[in-house]
Amino acid sequence: MEELRNRLIELINNCGLSIDCIYYIVKDVYRELSDEYRLVLQKQQEQALQANSEASENKNLEEEEK
């Protein structure tokens, strides 16, 4: 992680863009990353709920068979 951070800082420092441009680019990238992160968390939550639901269904079926 530290290597990525350092490389990003180096790239920003050497790109030749104004601080205004850098700010808006970083802000836009952050927004996109944040949106994607929320989607990943939502998918993980849905998968966990589905797994719990399937486990409950399997448990109920086993109890009915007894």
Side-chain angles (χ1 to χ4, degrees):
M1 276 185 4
E2 190 66 25
E3 181 182 347
L4 175 60
R5 182 183 183 279
N6 290 337
R7 289 175 66 190
L8 287 172
I9 290 170
E10 181 182 351
L11 183 62
I12 288 168
N13 287 336
N14 296 323
C15 73
L17 294 173
S18 69
I19 190 70
D20 298 343
C21 292
I22 294 168
Y23 173 81
Y24 286 108
I25 290 169
V26 171
K27 183 178 175 182
D28 190 48
V29 169
Y30 176 79
R31 183 190 49 78
E32 290 178 19
L33 180 60
S34 181
D35 291 346
E36 187 64 28
Y37 180 63
R38 277 189 232 115
L39 286 174
V40 167
L41 290 178
Q42 183 180 2
K43 286 178 185 177
Q44 288 176 345
Q45 185 179 22
E46 289 170 359
Q47 290 172 345
L49 289 172
Q50 183 179 3
N52 287 339
S53 177
E54 289 174 1
S56 293
E57 287 177 17
N58 289 340
K59 184 178 178 183
N60 290 340
L61 287 175
E62 289 174 3
E63 288 176 358
E64 288 177 7
E65 291 177 356
K66 289 180 183 179

